[in-house]
Amino acid sequence: MRVLLSTWGSRGDVEPLVGLAVRLRELGADVQVCAPPDDDFVALLARAGVPLVPLGPTVHSVVANPKPPSAKDAFRLAPELVAARFNTLTTAAEGCDALLATGLMPAGVRDVAEKLGIRYVFACFHTFGLPSQHFPPGVRPGTPSPEDETDNRVLWKQDAERVNALYGEALNSHRAAIGLPPVDNVRDHVFGDQPWLAADPALWPAEGETDLDVVQTGAWILPDDRPLPAELEAFLDAGEPPVYVGFGSMAAYTAKDIAQVSIEAIRAHGRRVVLARGWADLDLIDDQDDCFAVGEVNQQALFPRVAAVVHHGGAGTTTTAARAGAPQVVVPHIADQPRWAARIAELGIGAAHEGRTPTVESLSAALTTALAPETRARAKTVAGTIRTDGTTVAAELLLDTASQKGPPMSA
């Protein structure tokens, strides 16, 4: 059985696919991953022994700039990614039995699967972008909806129009070039009738979230057995558990003084700090011995040893901290992150910071909640409910889907 997994996005979009790829390989499948060629991702796939097929530009070149990507950037990137998917996947998916897509609106993947006559599955790590009568859509580049429009059905229709504006012309041009008819709703075409949700039910329950028939597999977790660096081990052993601070790939959204604000707020609680540099290249503010800066590190090994995790609310970091039983302070920046923050607060396993630019006072107040004994106790309880079989569920389902007879279709 041959399977191709495809994504374009940050580490939170890539690492789950690597976890799924490893499990598929353990079940006997021949699997490759199409992903952006960032150095971090190349190293990640090499460590897992999974072949990488480079797809599109690096994510770092798009998002790790002084300013967030503009609407103009989005309208330039969208057709570039569509072209990259048609050009790359047409060759990479030859002879495959299934093609799974996730990440930033993967327009073009289903179309390649259709042309090659193989099974297609769309998967997501949250339901934030899936149509729902209960919630309005998030912000997307393009013509905004009128401020006085409140009907969610109308708002989601307008969301589909924005997706068409971004991807429609390029997608239908490439479809025509390979003899396929045009599609009139790119978003719904990409999602299909039964998308998969790779999120833990305790952290992101699917019920009532979307109008689509979602299959929830549980989170796709890549096991990490790397030891922590010796210097970090020594720091951890030298005192009480520190507070971890890291904002991942949020370079363009992270306030310039976020390291200073975080360190001062944590020190106000008498705690030490582990500061993750991330794509914003955060650094220590002085040479005191109560702070330690790290690069890319095994969070699965680190988080059980910290007092709390302060982060941006990405699906991967949220799930890893929850599995570790570590209380969280989520400082959300974009997209699905406010929803993750709200869920962490709702579960009583941490605090949701209001806004993406904390002050010493606001972050200290959130830490008061996260560092409370009752929050840690609750976090430990919830940790015991987090499923660890997500990749197994998804891999077995994907192999079953690939083996089905009949015309190819979205799972």
Side-chain angles (χ1 to χ4, degrees):
M1 191 73 70
R2 292 190 60 200
V3 176
L4 184 64
L5 311 177
S6 174
T7 191
W8 195 91
S10 67
R11 188 184 183 101
D13 297 298
V14 177
E15 186 166 326
L17 280 200
V18 182
L20 177 59
V22 168
R23 189 68 186 108
L24 283 164
R25 188 179 57 195
E26 291 171 348
L27 293 175
D30 180 1
V31 59
Q32 294 186 103
V33 171
C34 286
D38 293 75
D39 291 344
D40 294 357
F41 308 153
V42 172
L44 176 66
L45 281 144
R47 191 173 80 234
V50 176
L52 167 67
V53 179
L55 177 67
T58 65
V59 179
H60 196 273
S61 68
V62 175
V63 305
N65 298 303
K67 295 182 179 179
S70 65
K72 184 178 179 181
D73 293 330
F75 276 91
R76 182 172 57 248
L77 178 64
E80 180 181 354
L81 289 178
V82 170
R85 292 180 183 118
F86 273 90
N87 294 336
T88 301
L89 300 179
T90 299
T91 300
E94 188 70 41
C96 286
D97 301 286
L99 179 48
L100 181 145
T102 189
L104 180 66
M105 187 58 67
V109 183
R110 180 176 184 174
D111 316 275
V112 171
E114 183 180 349
K115 180 63 177 179
L116 296 178
I118 60 179
R119 298 280 172 174
Y120 165 79
V121 175
F122 169 77
C124 51
F125 306 116
H126 51 78
T127 59
F128 181 74
L130 303 183
S132 173
Q133 60 182 315
H134 305 294
F135 306 101
V139 176
R140 199 187 297 275
T143 304
S145 297
E147 291 185 4
D148 59 351
E149 182 59 72
T150 59
D151 188 327
N152 286 331
R153 291 169 298 181
V154 174
L155 293 172
W156 280 104
K157 181 177 181 297
Q158 292 166 347
D159 176 74
E161 293 167 356
R162 286 188 284 272
V163 175
N164 281 346
L166 281 163
Y167 297 94
E169 182 178 353
L171 181 69
N172 283 325
S173 174
H174 284 279
R175 284 179 63 86
I178 59 175
L180 296 178
V183 297
D184 59 7
N185 186 322
V186 174
R187 185 197 66 198
D188 292 359
H189 172 74
V190 168
F191 293 166
D193 299 325
Q194 198 172 59
W196 293 6
L197 174 59
D200 189 86
L203 299 178
W204 195 295
E207 187 174 353
E209 284 286 309
T210 175
D211 299 337
L212 301 181
D213 182 18
V214 170
V215 175
Q216 187 158 20
T217 65
W220 299 347
I221 299 167
L222 174 66
D224 194 342
D225 59 2
R226 293 174 298 160
L228 297 175
E231 296 85 353
L232 176 56
E233 284 278 8
F235 178 79
L236 293 170
D237 290 341
E240 293 298 313
V243 173
Y244 170 95
V245 180
F247 295 96
S249 61
M250 294 292 102
Y253 299 89
T254 301
K256 291 181 180 179
D257 61 349
I258 189 64
Q260 177 150 357
V261 166
S262 299
I263 291 170
E264 289 185 9
I266 294 166
R267 282 175 171 168
H269 285 269
R271 297 284 183 167
R272 302 185 303 151
V273 182
V274 171
L275 180 71
R277 293 189 178 92
W279 283 9
D281 199 24
L282 303 180
D283 206 353
L284 304 180
I285 62 174
D286 53 40
D287 59 359
Q288 293 189 41
D289 62 4
D290 64 340
C291 296
F292 190 92
V294 297
E296 202 277 318
V297 70
N298 181 353
Q299 293 181 342
Q300 293 174 25
L302 176 58
F303 285 1
R305 301 179 64 180
V306 302
V309 176
V310 179
H311 64 102
H312 56 294
T317 308
T318 303
T319 303
T320 303
R323 283 185 68 215
Q328 305 181 46
V329 173
V330 183
V331 184
H333 291 67
I334 57 172
D336 56 305
Q337 295 168 9
R339 295 279 296 280
W340 286 108
R343 183 60 178 165
I344 292 306
E346 180 183 349
L347 287 170
I349 62 175
H353 184 275
E354 185 174 351
R356 65 186 185 211
T357 309
T359 63
V360 173
E361 292 74 19
S362 67
L363 188 55
S364 180
L367 281 165
T368 297
T369 298
L371 295 171
E374 57 269 26
T375 304
R376 173 160 288 277
R378 176 63 180 158
K380 292 294 185 184
T381 298
V382 171
T385 71
I386 305 299
R387 292 173 50 178
T388 59
D389 63 344
T391 56
T392 298
V393 172
E396 291 178 348
L397 185 58
L398 186 58
L399 294 178
D400 180 65
T401 298
S403 66
Q404 292 175 12
K405 302 296 184 182
M409 57 189 294
S410 168

